[in-house]
Amino acid sequence: MTNSKAQLPANIIAAVTSPSWWGPWFPNPESWAAWFTFWRTIFALPMSAEDLRLFQQCTGRDQPPSEPPREVAEIIGRRGGKSRGAATTAAWLALFLDWRIYLAPGEKAMVLLLAADRRQARVAFRFLRSLIVDHPELRKLVVSETQEAIELRNRVVIEVTTASFRTIRGYSIAALVADEIAFWFDGEASANPAEEVLAAARPAMATMGPSALLLSMSSPHARRGPLWKAFSRHYGKRDAPVLVWKAPSKTMNPSLPQSVIDEAYEQDPARASAEFGAEFRVDLESFLDRDAVEAVVVPDRFELPPVQGEQYHAFVDPSGGSGDSMTLCIAHRDGKCAVVDVVREAAPPFSPDKVVAEFSALLKVYGIRRAVGDKYAGVWPGERFQVYGIEYEPSARPKSELYSELLPLINGKRVELLDHKKLIAQLCSLERKTARGGRDTIDHPPNSHDDVANCVAGVVTSLCRPRIEIDTDIGGIICVPAAPRILW
C-alpha cells in the first residue's frame, strides 16, 4: 500500500493476495493454496469445491464450521510453512480486529507466540514483525518495539515468550500460538508443560469474545500430550470444540523437493513419517507411568542427612559446564529398598572444577570415597575427582540399560525418591523407542534433559543389583541378592 486511503482488506485471504497489503510477502500464491484453504476454514470464509475437498482431506469432517473455532490444532509436517502461516494468522488478529471493547481501561490485548524456547519462537516473530514494520502503513501503528514484543496503537501487544504457564497468568489473551507444542518439555514442574500452558490460557481468553483463538501447531511426535489428545478426541468430528487440521508437509508446501522427503524415509522411516508425513510415531511410548513414579516419592522429603554407621553410595553425571547440568545422587539401601538421600545439580554455566570440589566435599560428609559416574569426556572427571580425594569409576552400563533396570524397581515400589520436581519430570518424560531391529532404547525426548534422572538411576540400580560371587567350595558362580552393604 502506498497511501493511507487504501481500503482495508475484507479478510485474511484478501490481505495476503493484495499487492497493497501482504501480497509481496507471498510472491508465489499458488504454493500457498492449502494455507488459503486453512484460513478459509478457521475464519469461516466461503469455500470453493477444491477448498472443500482439501478441508475434508485434512480435517476428516464433511462440512466446514459455520463460525470460527476458538481452538485449532495444526498437525503439519516439517517445512510445511507452519511458522509463516501462524505468524500471518497472529498478525491478522492483532492488526485488523478490534479488541478494545473487551478491555478494561489501561488493559492490553495480548497476542502471544510461545515455543519451547525464545529462539524457536522468534522464527515466527521475525516474519510477523516484517508484516508490520516493513509495511509503509502498518508500521505507523507501532508504539514501541523490543526484540521480544511489539506494542500497537490499537492496545494490542504482540509478545514472544517461552512455554510456561506462569508467564501468561493475568493477561487478557486475544490469540495464543503454541509453536511445536509436541516438543514442549521443561524438566521443571511437569513432564509436559503444554497441558498447563493451555489450561492457563483458556481462562485468559474467555472474556475476549468469539474471535479469540488458541492455535496449537507442531509436527507430531509421540502419542501423548495435548496435540495427540486433540487428534484422538476431535479429529473428524463435526461439532468437536477443537478443529484439527492434519496434513503432510508436501500438502501444505508443494514446493518442498520430493527428494528431501524420499531421502528422509530411506534413512529413518519412523522419524520421516512423523516429520514429513504428519503421522504420530508408533515406535515411541512413555517409559514410566507418572502414577507409578509419584507412588515412590516421599512427600516433603527433600534431603536426608547422613546417619552414622550407614553405608552410602553415589553416582555422578558430569558435564563440561556449558550445555548440560552436572548432577550427583547419594543413596543407601534399607532392606530391599533403595533410598535416595541427596540430589544435587549444577546448572550451566558453571566451573567444572568448582563443582567437582563441591561434590567431593559432600561425598566425604556421607563417608563416600569412591563414586561411579557416567562415561563423559574421557579421563578428566577421574583426574579432577582424584585431586579432591575421590576415586571416580566410569559406569560400565549405558544409561538406557540403567533406565531399563529402574523400571521394575519403581513399579515394584523398591525405591524411595525425594520430593524433587525436576527428578519426577525427567523420569516421566523418558521415552522408549523400538528400533527397526527390535532393540529398545530409552532416552529423554528432544528439547529436554535427563541429567538428574540419570544419576538417580545409576545409583539406585547399582544398590539393587544382585552381586555375583565365586563359591570356591563348589567351584562355580552364584547369584547373591543385593545386601545392605554392596561393594561397587
Side-chain angles (χ1 to χ4, degrees), residues 311-334:
Q311 185 172 4
Y312 295 95
H313 303 276
F315 193 96
V316 179
D317 189 353
S319 169
S322 59
D324 297 328
S325 295
M326 183 166 174
T327 56
L328 164 69
C329 179
I330 297 173
H332 72 277
R333 186 177 175 86
D334 184 6

Side-chain angles (χ1 to χ4, degrees), residues 317-327 345-350 376 399 444 448-451:
D317 189 353
S319 169
S322 59
D324 297 328
S325 295
M326 183 166 174
T327 56
E345 176 189 19
F350 59 83
Y376 173 84
K399 66 178 180 180
H444 59 84
S448 70
H449 299 272
D450 65 348
D451 317 288

